[in-house]
Amino acid sequence: RKLARSCLLQLGRFLFLKTALGLLPVLLKKMLLPALALSSAFLAPHAASRALSTSKVAMNGGKGFGGGEATRDPAPTVIDPNDPKGKQQAIHKAESFAEYLAKRSAGGGAAPAGGSAGAYPSLPPSVKPGVLTGQAVVDLLEDAKRRGYAIPAVNCVTSSSVNACLEAAAAAKAPVMIQFSSGGAQFYAGKGLDNTDYKAAIAGAVSGAYHVRAMAEQYGVPVILHTDHCAKNLLPWLDGMLAASERYYAAHREPLFSSHMIDLSEEPLEENIDICVEYLQRMAKLDMLLEMELGITGGEEDGVDNEDANPEDLYSKPEEIWQVYEKLSAVPNGRFTVAAAFGNVHGVYAPGNVKLDPEILGNAQTFIADKVSSSDAKPVSFVFHGGSGSDLKDIKQAIDYGVVKMNIDTDTQWSYWDGIRAYYKKYEPYLNSQIGNPDGADKPNKKFYDPRMPVRSAEETTVARLGQCFSDLNCVDVF
């Protein structure tokens, strides 16, 4: 009996182990592998962020401003921001984890914006999606000069305005410059932060720079990351940003920002040039570009008031531009652009009130080309400040004379506000209280006063306005 009992026990153990081993593959397939797949799906974007970063974004209902078709990837359920009641919904079927992993392992997925190598066939090879630095910046600006377009340079004050710029650039299939002023950078950091020694303005600009770097590749557009007017009293702000770029360069072999502007146009020309040379020597070591200004841009912007400027100071002379070109060209590895004055005025004015004279730029190009015996008829890369309210003919002529960048601020400030204003007017009955609206006294209004709703409306009107800017500057279908 003891022997029989022992044999039966051993047989039971054997059958149990056999059954368990037989079920093991099934358990692995049913439980462990899906868990691993789930983990991989969450970790993969971090390990392959650069590979995924050039995926095209859905743009403007599938149409770019240039008329081209945009690639639309499967998207989750979204609600039309102009239809908070949710009557209109675009519902897309999401792929399973298994399908996602199978596609990744097979090398599938959305096509990268601009080609298989993440670049653009119609742009110089150095120009790729994301923030450009060094030679890539120069190559892009030279391409603009050669092909006759100027890049919109938009002042941004929030991540929302940055995203609107990137969305507009993706729709236009064009590069864009995103820039921060000292006041805009301070606002980006938060007005409640102490700005002693420009600490908040420095922190805000650095924060904005990291945001642009994180998002530019996702939108699939090349971006020049820039800062705007830096007067003499704001040089500590610039010093703080350069220190941030020096730290970034030590870790990544490129600067955090692409370029900075120094505006010493109110100082004597010799002092203006000497300080710019000093800073360009520092920036050249980081492969950064300097934008300098000579002559005064009239009007008022971000606390800089030149509304009472001497009219003669609104127009630069070819000899002055040559002085700048000669001194800055002597800096080893120096890269620079020139914001020369040709009647520019900040702000928006009725047509006819801004007297631009683009011929100043053409005359300067001829003067300098003769001085350096250059076969290049346009040796200087010019910048156009204060373009709001300008005649389109003058803008086109300025581009013909070598303008590669045009600043935009006043018009996008209005377009952003206009989107918020229009949203409020459309849904005013739903925005007067948390509870109670025309649909019923007990109906909640949360989905109407959700900040994302008016902000998205502002982004949409800004994207539309920037679409006009891209078109005016011949900056459509560039890639």
Side-chain angles (χ1 to χ4, degrees), residues 23 126 177 239:
L23 289 173
S126 61
M177 293 191 187
D239 290 332

Side-chain angles (χ1 to χ4, degrees), residues 81 84 423 430-431 445-457:
Y423 179 86
Y430 298 86
L431 297 170
N445 295 315
K446 185 178 186 302
K447 58 188 171 185
F448 295 94
Y449 62 76
D450 182 332
R452 290 172 293 182
M453 308 307 290
V455 167
R456 179 54 188 164
S457 179

Side-chain angles (χ1 to χ4, degrees), residues 73-76 92-104 109-110:
D73 293 332
H92 302 275
K93 182 181 178 181
E95 60 189 352
S96 69
F97 278 120
E99 291 169 328
Y100 169 76
L101 292 172
K103 183 190 293 186
R104 284 185 56 78

Side-chain angles (χ1 to χ4, degrees), residues 94-144:
E95 60 189 352
S96 69
F97 278 120
E99 291 169 328
Y100 169 76
L101 292 172
K103 183 190 293 186
R104 284 185 56 78
S105 63
S116 59
Y120 311 98
S122 56
L123 287 173
S126 61
V127 179
K128 295 179 173 61
V131 172
L132 307 180
T133 59
Q135 190 60 40
V137 174
V138 176
D139 291 345
L140 179 60
L141 297 182
E142 287 299 319
D143 184 77

Side-chain angles (χ1 to χ4, degrees), residues 198 201-203 205-206 209-210 225-227 230 234-250 254-262 275-291:
Y198 303 103
I202 294 167
V206 170
Y210 276 103
L225 180 54
H226 185 67
T227 58
C230 178
L234 292 174
L235 288 175
W237 173 55
L238 177 56
D239 290 332
M241 293 185 293
L242 286 176
S245 273
E246 286 164 346
R247 292 190 295 270
Y248 194 90
Y249 190 93
E254 69 170 351
L256 179 60
F257 294 87
S258 309
S259 55
H260 295 292
M261 179 194 181
I262 296 179
I275 293 176
C276 284
V277 167
E278 178 184 342
Y279 273 93
L280 183 57
Q281 289 169 341
R282 181 180 178 184
M283 295 169 67
K285 298 174 183 177
L286 304 174
D287 296 327
M288 299 184 76
L289 179 141
L290 168 70
E291 175 188 328

